[in-house]
Amino acid sequence: MKVVLQTFFILLFTVQAYAQKEYAVSGIITDESGLPLPGVNIFAKGSTTGTQTNFDGEYAISVTPGAILSYSFVGYVTEERKIRKSTTISFAMQPDVNAIDEVVVTALGTKRRKDRITTVSQEVRYEQLSQANNPSVVNSLSGKVSGLTIQNQKTTRIVLRGNRSLPNQGKKALIVIDGVVSSEQELSAINPNKINEVNVIKGAQGSALYGSQGANGVIVVQTKNAIIKQPEALSNEAYTKIHENKFKSTILSPLSTFSIDVDKASYSNVRRLINNGQEIPASAVKIEEMVNYFDYDYPQPQNEDPFSINVEQVITPWNKDTRLVKIGLQGKTYENEAIPASNLTFLIDVSGSMNSANKLPLLKSAFTLLVNQLRDKDRVSIVVYAGAAGVVLEPTSGKHKDKILKALNNLSAGGSTAGGEGIELAYKLAAENFNKNGNNRVILATDGDFNVGASSNSDMEDLIVQKRKSGVFLSVLGFGMGNYKDDKLELLANKGNGNHAYIDSMQEAKLIFGKEFGGTLYTIAKDVKIQLEFNPSKVRGYRLIGYENRLLEDEDFVNDAIDAGELGSGHSVTALYEVIPVGVESAYLDPSSELKYTKNTVRENTSDDLLTVKFRYKKPDGDKSIEMVHVAPDAIVSASEDMRFAAAVALFGMQLRASQFYNKTTSKDVVALAKSGRGLDKAGYRAEFIRLVEAVDL
């Protein structure tokens, strides 16, 4: 009997050990023609474990043996794979013949066919693209968009596979002529000699730009001499205009003062625009946010201060006559268990503008990652707003994740957008449940399209400035495209003592709510300001690269009433200066004017220091700032990998902005510089940046 019991327990422990074991499954997903499919959703059935393929169609996920993985992508048959012994699963997804047809654009003529995939296709006649104003409009898409192929280059024929989901439309693509939704008859009636350009938009992007009517794909036709009436969604994104920093004379402007910025929204937004083949507005490119998207090897602080200070000076990669100076701050990292109890209020936009795959559905998946990391001591409330605002979940312990997830997954979109009312209610709920010894935060998730009640940027600023006095911090998460209001969301985060991120994929959600969970939710220092003084005996002129929307007056540095940026657990901040050494002539710097009452002279016996940098910050619950001072010697070193990579990101941003300072460099120069600074890159974010640069011809 004893032997039997021993055998039984051994078998039981073996089964338990097997059940708890997880396999790391990875692979590459392509379309039927072998092109990588980015954004394929991969979920373990019956669980909340999920991921997405990256830019190269690659993915990785940890699951238990016997789990069933579901692979889904718009316009393709959903595939399932059961995990047995193999840990590598790669395959080509196949078009859904019941939900897909082809839109064929050709120069041969106008007719209808039924010989492809047993569904209705259309052929649109238009002038040879080689004779159009933009001859590469179609060919530029070749090999870059999954589901799109170009056949017979002599006649320029393109085939678009898109989702077909509207029963009242059958299996037809939307037709848009000169910005107006039109019929097949109107298309057929156009004189081919009057057509200037034809463009084709895939189903997923068509949905984002034209709503549900564009879910089947969109044929966009522009005639010659037409006054184009763009659909609102194409021209409804908003960004704060950026006026690029110029070089300043060290003697005339001895101080450079700005607020830190740990936001990363600009990089993920630019990534979205590149991946979708869209034009990148110059004001969408915030170089500081692109540089700060990446981790750098800064040491942890060794004393009671919340961050360490690091300075590096090298020869500027794009201009041998100048120097590049990197200022790096590294915030102290706290393990999740060391973070005080959180009182979180999710404020979720469920208006009609959120009713697309890359908005509310993605939002739910992203917040699921956050909920799964909550501890028993954390509390979560959920407030939603559309035409009005309401509470859908009263404060609930992180112990009851199923209850929180149920409330989250029951949300649906519809109606107008009363953002101001939602903010009022969320802060009210957060204040009622305020934890004096904890972390109190509202997490706003929206596309920023407020249109009911107080909704202007000035209204929002006044509201948030008032609400931040409660001691509740604000995190702002942007979703979607077409009517994304970057300017409004950045303003809310800046004035609400919080941070701003743009979530374009589950990959980004994992970065924000997984890898950087503590930094997203727990502030270790607020109102952090930086002030540099360059040594005029060493530096003739300087310019701060980026941070144009974060500049402060020099006197604001010591004024504790002036708001500045916040630093979260584990966050780092990097600032780059391009400097002109003394003795170097530069067209970027005008000769110093002769002053009547003041001498343009340098103090005698000046040290060999390059610069002195000062930092001021407040504790999260403090009102009086603390100052730190760091002096950097004038020493040029061989560029570290981090410096080379940060410089590559900054240079790419300058090129995208058409800056006057990028010195005729090309995207190839950026790629070479980034590759030399890629380093270990365990998470692959730097490799992804290199792929993005390679996809843009600059």
Side-chain angles (χ1 to χ4, degrees):
M1 184 67 182
K2 183 177 180 181
V3 174
V4 173
L5 286 174
Q6 288 177 336
T7 304
F8 172 77
F9 283 119
I10 290 173
L11 289 172
L12 179 62
F13 291 142
T14 301
V15 170
Q16 289 178 335
Y18 180 78
Q20 294 171 355
K21 182 180 179 181
E22 286 193 345
Y23 286 157
V25 180
S26 61
I28 300 176
I29 306 301
T30 67
D31 65 7
E32 72 284 8
S33 61
L35 292 174
L37 273 179
V40 175
N41 291 308
I42 304 164
F43 286 97
K45 296 185 69 174
S47 75
T48 58
T49 302
T51 187
Q52 279 189 332
T53 54
N54 63 15
F55 196 66
D56 287 333
E58 301 169 340
Y59 74 96
I61 186 171
S62 295
V63 294
T64 56
I68 297 176
L69 290 181
S70 173
Y71 300 76
S72 61
F73 190 75
V74 173
Y76 286 80
V77 177
T78 297
E79 303 271 1
E80 291 185 355
R81 295 290 189 274
K82 187 171 184 178
I83 307 303
R84 291 186 173 88
K85 294 182 179 180
S86 175
T87 56
T88 300
I89 299 179
S90 301
F91 61 91
M93 299 190 74
Q94 298 302 314
D96 187 346
V97 296
N98 295 318
I100 297 177
D101 75 322
E102 294 179 344
V103 177
V104 181
V105 183
T106 178
L108 295 178
T110 303
K111 62 180 180 179
R112 296 182 64 182
R113 301 177 46 171
K114 293 188 178 181
D115 60 345
R116 291 189 176 272
I117 322 183
T118 67
T119 58
V120 177
S121 295
Q122 304 156 341
E123 292 192 351
V124 182
R125 180 178 174 187
Y126 67 102
E127 188 177 17
Q128 282 290 106
L129 289 180
S130 60
Q131 300 171 5
N133 290 342
N134 185 1
S136 63
V137 65
V138 172
N139 290 332
S140 64
L141 299 176
S142 179
K144 296 182 180 179
V145 180
S146 300
L148 181 97
T149 58
I150 298 180
Q151 303 172 355
N152 192 350
Q153 296 300 317
K154 292 183 179 180
T155 58
T156 314
R157 181 182 189 177
I158 63 179
V159 179
L160 168 74
R161 292 189 176 88
N163 188 31
R164 305 291 184 258
S165 59
L166 292 182
N168 63 336
Q169 276 195 311
K171 301 184 182 301
K172 299 179 182 180
L174 182 70
I175 298 171
V176 178
I177 301 174
D178 294 337
V180 178
V181 176
S182 307
S183 65
E184 292 181 44
Q185 290 74 22
E186 290 173 303
L187 179 62
S188 300
I190 298 177
N191 184 335
N193 293 323
K194 293 185 178 181
I195 294 179
N196 179 57
E197 180 178 292
V198 176
N199 207 345
V200 181
I201 301 176
K202 287 185 59 182
Q205 189 179 350
S207 297
L209 297 178
Y210 293 90
S212 58
Q213 61 182 339
N216 294 347
V218 186
I219 300 173
V220 182
V221 180
Q222 179 183 340
T223 60
K224 295 179 179 178
N225 302 319
I227 299 175
I228 303 300
K229 181 182 178 182
Q230 295 285 0
E232 181 181 6
L234 282 173
S235 57
N236 204 28
E237 296 195 357
Y239 302 92
T240 302
K241 187 169 181 59
I242 296 174
H243 300 281
E244 186 176 34
N245 293 328
K246 302 296 191 291
F247 277 96
K248 292 185 176 182
S249 166
T250 306
I251 291 178
L252 297 180
S253 301
L255 299 175
S256 174
T257 310
F258 63 98
S259 162
I260 68 162
D261 184 4
V262 298
D263 294 346
K264 303 182 178 184
S266 182
Y267 178 80
S268 51
N269 187 39
V270 167
R271 178 178 61 198
R272 179 261 298 188
L273 294 169
I274 293 174
N275 284 338
N276 290 341
Q278 294 175 280
E279 181 181 354
I280 303 173
S283 292
V285 182
K286 302 167 194 168
I287 294 177
E288 70 279 4
E289 293 189 13
M290 295 180 67
V291 171
N292 283 323
Y293 183 86
F294 300 93
D295 289 334
Y296 302 101
D297 189 22
Y298 299 140
Q300 282 286 306
Q302 300 299 316
N303 48 35
E304 295 182 357
D305 292 316
F307 43 78
S308 66
I309 303 169
N310 309 274
V311 179
E312 182 177 353
Q313 179 188 196
V314 301
I315 297 174
T316 306
W318 56 84
N319 189 338
K320 62 180 178 60
D321 293 329
T322 64
R323 303 291 179 262
L324 191 64
V325 178
K326 176 164 66 74
I327 312 294
L329 274 69
Q330 176 60 57
K332 186 175 182 179
T333 300
Y334 292 84
E335 297 299 328
N336 287 353
E337 286 304 319
I339 295 175
S342 293
N343 164 36
L344 305 177
T345 304
F346 297 169
L347 175 56
I348 299 177
D349 182 354
V350 293
S351 63
S353 67
M354 294 292 288
N355 192 21
S356 61
N358 57 8
K359 293 187 180 181
L360 188 58
L362 176 60
L363 183 157
K364 291 180 181 180
S365 298
F367 272 74
T368 297
L369 295 175
L370 170 57
V371 172
N372 285 333
Q373 294 193 76
L374 295 176
R375 305 154 299 180
D376 291 356
K377 63 183 179 180
D378 299 324
R379 296 290 183 272
V380 170
S381 310
I382 301 180
V383 173
V384 298
Y385 64 92
V391 178
V392 299
L393 182 70
E394 295 290 344
T396 302
S397 167
K399 180 180 181 180
H400 303 295
K401 294 180 177 60
D402 53 344
K403 182 178 180 180
I404 301 172
L405 291 175
K406 182 178 180 180
L408 188 65
N409 291 325
N410 284 339
L411 300 180
S412 59
S416 52
T417 317
E421 185 178 344
I423 291 172
E424 291 273 11
L425 182 57
Y427 270 92
K428 179 176 181 293
L429 195 60
E432 289 174 351
N433 298 277
F434 193 86
N435 186 333
K436 293 183 178 179
N437 299 315
N439 173 36
N440 300 275
R441 185 174 296 267
V442 170
I443 303 177
L444 169 62
T446 177
D447 60 4
D449 191 18
F450 303 162
N451 52 34
V452 174
S455 59
S456 69
N457 284 7
S458 59
D459 289 338
M460 291 291 102
E461 179 175 357
D462 292 342
L463 177 60
I464 292 299
V465 168
Q466 175 189 357
K467 295 301 179 184
R468 77 179 182 210
K469 297 176 183 177
S470 66
V472 176
F473 291 82
L474 177 69
S475 290
V476 181
L477 306 177
F479 289 83
M481 56 181 157
N483 59 346
Y484 173 57
K485 299 296 186 292
D486 178 87
D487 60 341
K488 193 183 299 295
L489 300 188
E490 180 185 34
L491 176 68
L492 290 174
N494 290 350
K495 299 302 180 181
N497 283 347
N499 42 44
H500 171 210
Y502 175 78
I503 297 181
D504 60 337
S505 64
M506 281 300 291
Q507 174 185 330
E508 188 65 17
K510 285 187 174 181
L511 174 66
I512 301 299
F513 286 145
K515 180 174 178 289
E516 298 187 353
F517 174 79
T520 301
L521 299 183
Y522 181 48
T523 298
I524 61 174
K526 68 179 183 180
D527 293 339
V528 183
K529 306 169 189 175
I530 300 178
Q531 187 171 78
L532 265 73
E533 181 180 2
F534 285 98
N535 183 348
S537 69
K538 300 292 183 181
V539 177
R540 183 173 173 229
Y542 64 87
R543 73 178 184 97
L544 174 60
I545 302 176
Y547 292 92
E548 286 87 357
N549 296 334
R550 297 286 188 147
L551 299 179
L552 297 174
E553 298 296 331
D554 292 338
E555 58 268 25
D556 292 343
F557 182 70
V558 294
N559 186 349
D560 285 349
I562 299 298
D563 182 58
E566 279 61 50
L567 191 71
S569 168
H571 274 168
S572 63
V573 180
T574 298
L576 296 172
Y577 280 87
E578 186 174 3
V579 303
I580 302 172
V582 168
V584 174
E585 296 298 323
S586 174
Y588 295 137
L589 195 63
D590 295 331
S592 298
S593 301
E594 289 293 330
L595 301 179
K596 183 176 180 180
Y597 301 108
T598 304
K599 291 184 178 181
N600 294 345
T601 59
V602 178
R603 182 183 301 174
E604 294 182 2
N605 300 321
T606 302
S607 68
D608 288 332
D609 302 334
L610 174 69
L611 59 87
T612 297
V613 56
K614 298 179 181 179
F615 300 87
R616 292 182 79 92
Y617 70 94
K618 300 173 187 172
K619 294 181 178 180
D621 57 352
D623 296 320
K624 186 174 179 60
S625 62
I626 301 168
E627 184 171 299
M628 299 173 61
V629 179
H630 180 84
V631 178
D634 182 22
I636 298 176
V637 299
S638 297
S640 64
E641 289 179 338
D642 280 351
M643 172 61 103
R644 292 196 293 271
F645 189 81
V649 178
L651 178 58
F652 184 54
M654 289 159 56
Q655 292 174 351
L656 290 176
R657 274 193 196 173
S659 164
Q660 71 178 95
F661 302 114
Y662 73 90
N663 206 20
K664 297 182 180 180
T665 53
T666 68
S667 55
K668 292 182 179 179
D669 298 313
V670 175
V671 169
L673 188 58
K675 285 183 176 179
S676 71
R678 178 180 172 182
L680 293 177
D681 191 27
K682 293 180 180 179
Y685 291 109
R686 296 190 180 189
E688 179 193 53
F689 169 78
I690 294 170
R691 291 193 295 269
L692 287 176
V693 178
E694 290 174 333
V696 180
D697 185 17
L698 294 173

